[in-house]
Amino acid sequence: MKLKNIHNLISIAIVITMAMLFCSCADNYKRVGDEAIKKIFPSAVAEDFTLTYTETDGGKADDGDSRSKIIAVLRSPISNDFDNLDFPYRTFPKGLKVEFFDDKGMKSTVTADYGIIYSKTNLIDLQGNVVIETEDGKKLEAPQLYWDKGNDWIFTQQKFKYTNKEEGTIMDGEGMDFNRSFSFFHANKTYGLMSIKEKKDD
């Protein structure tokens, strides 16, 4: 009889212990201080934003000051400035348009649905319906492109479509990099249509 009572007491103790364990597993912990997820707000918001990139050409103007030339103009309906963070950046949530100018003054235009400029690295991340068009009829379309402003280099690992009306070529591919003037163009994987013009001998 005593053995049975001891067995019952042990069973009740186990049940109570298990119930206490299950009750203590409820997440009633309130996150405070550094553990709480911090909301990030821009330090400034600009509407009808325009940013002009210039560089000095080494010459002197008539008044003795160094001459500078415009290499790119970025426009966007709205810009959110997060330069108050440890890794500063600027976003363009309603899209952006960038106009590039080469040494001869020829203009290339880039449009995208969304963009981010990382201030410390001079890298621009263009996302959503990215289109690059040049004055001589070249057109590049991709879902995402990166522009390394410091090295004047553009690249992506996404799929792309490159159309050259002057040469009558259409190239589809995946992953590529090129310079801003399209004088160097490297594609990782290509497939598509290309027509070759034959030269007639006199």
Side-chain angles (χ1 to χ4, degrees):
M1 188 70 176
K2 288 182 180 180
L3 195 59
K4 188 176 181 183
N5 286 339
I6 291 171
H7 181 62
N8 286 341
L9 285 173
I10 292 173
S11 298
I12 291 170
I14 290 172
V15 170
I16 291 172
T17 303
M18 293 300 290
M20 289 173 62
L21 285 173
F22 281 118
C23 289
S24 66
C25 288
D27 188 8
N28 296 324
Y29 180 72
K30 292 183 180 179
R31 299 187 182 278
V32 294
D34 293 338
E35 294 177 333
I37 298 172
K38 295 180 180 178
K39 293 182 179 179
I40 300 174
F41 297 99
S43 60
V45 177
E47 294 182 351
D48 297 324
F49 179 80
T50 300
L51 179 62
T52 303
Y53 295 95
T54 60
E55 66 179 16
T56 57
D57 61 5
K60 296 284 186 181
D62 293 337
D63 58 3
D65 292 335
S66 296
R67 291 184 302 189
S68 62
K69 61 179 179 179
I70 297 173
I71 58 171
V73 178
L74 186 153
R75 293 182 175 89
S76 178
I78 191 166
S79 170
N80 295 323
D81 188 348
F82 294 91
D83 279 344
N84 55 331
L85 303 177
D86 291 336
F87 190 73
Y89 61 92
R90 182 185 294 271
T91 63
F92 304 93
K94 293 188 178 180
L96 72 161
K97 178 180 180 181
V98 185
E99 295 174 323
F100 297 100
F101 300 92
D102 64 12
D103 295 334
K104 297 178 181 178
M106 297 285 285
K107 182 175 74 173
S108 300
T109 304
V110 182
T111 55
D113 294 340
Y114 184 83
I116 306 173
I117 295 178
Y118 297 100
S119 307
K120 283 188 176 179
T121 59
N122 278 329
L123 188 71
I124 299 178
D125 180 2
L126 303 168
Q127 302 174 17
N129 299 311
V130 184
V131 179
I132 300 178
E133 294 181 278
T134 63
E135 278 193 23
D136 57 0
K138 296 181 180 74
K139 184 177 182 181
L140 179 73
E141 301 166 83
Q144 184 176 30
L145 282 176
Y146 294 97
W147 174 33
D148 181 351
K149 191 171 71 71
N151 296 311
D152 207 11
W153 206 252
I154 301 167
F155 58 95
T156 185
Q157 294 300 318
Q158 305 286 332
K159 291 184 178 180
F160 68 87
K161 180 179 181 181
Y162 176 66
T163 306
N164 189 335
K165 289 183 180 179
E166 189 177 42
E167 296 181 0
T169 60
I170 299 173
M171 179 194 305
D172 293 296
E174 189 172 341
M176 53 89 188
D177 58 292
F178 58 97
N179 59 5
R180 183 164 47 92
S181 63
F182 281 97
S183 59
F184 178 87
F185 187 98
H186 173 262
N188 298 341
K189 186 191 296 183
T190 60
Y191 38 89
L193 173 66
M194 182 178 288
S195 60
I196 301 172
K197 295 178 182 178
E198 291 184 8
K199 290 184 179 179
K200 293 182 180 179
D201 295 331
D202 292 335

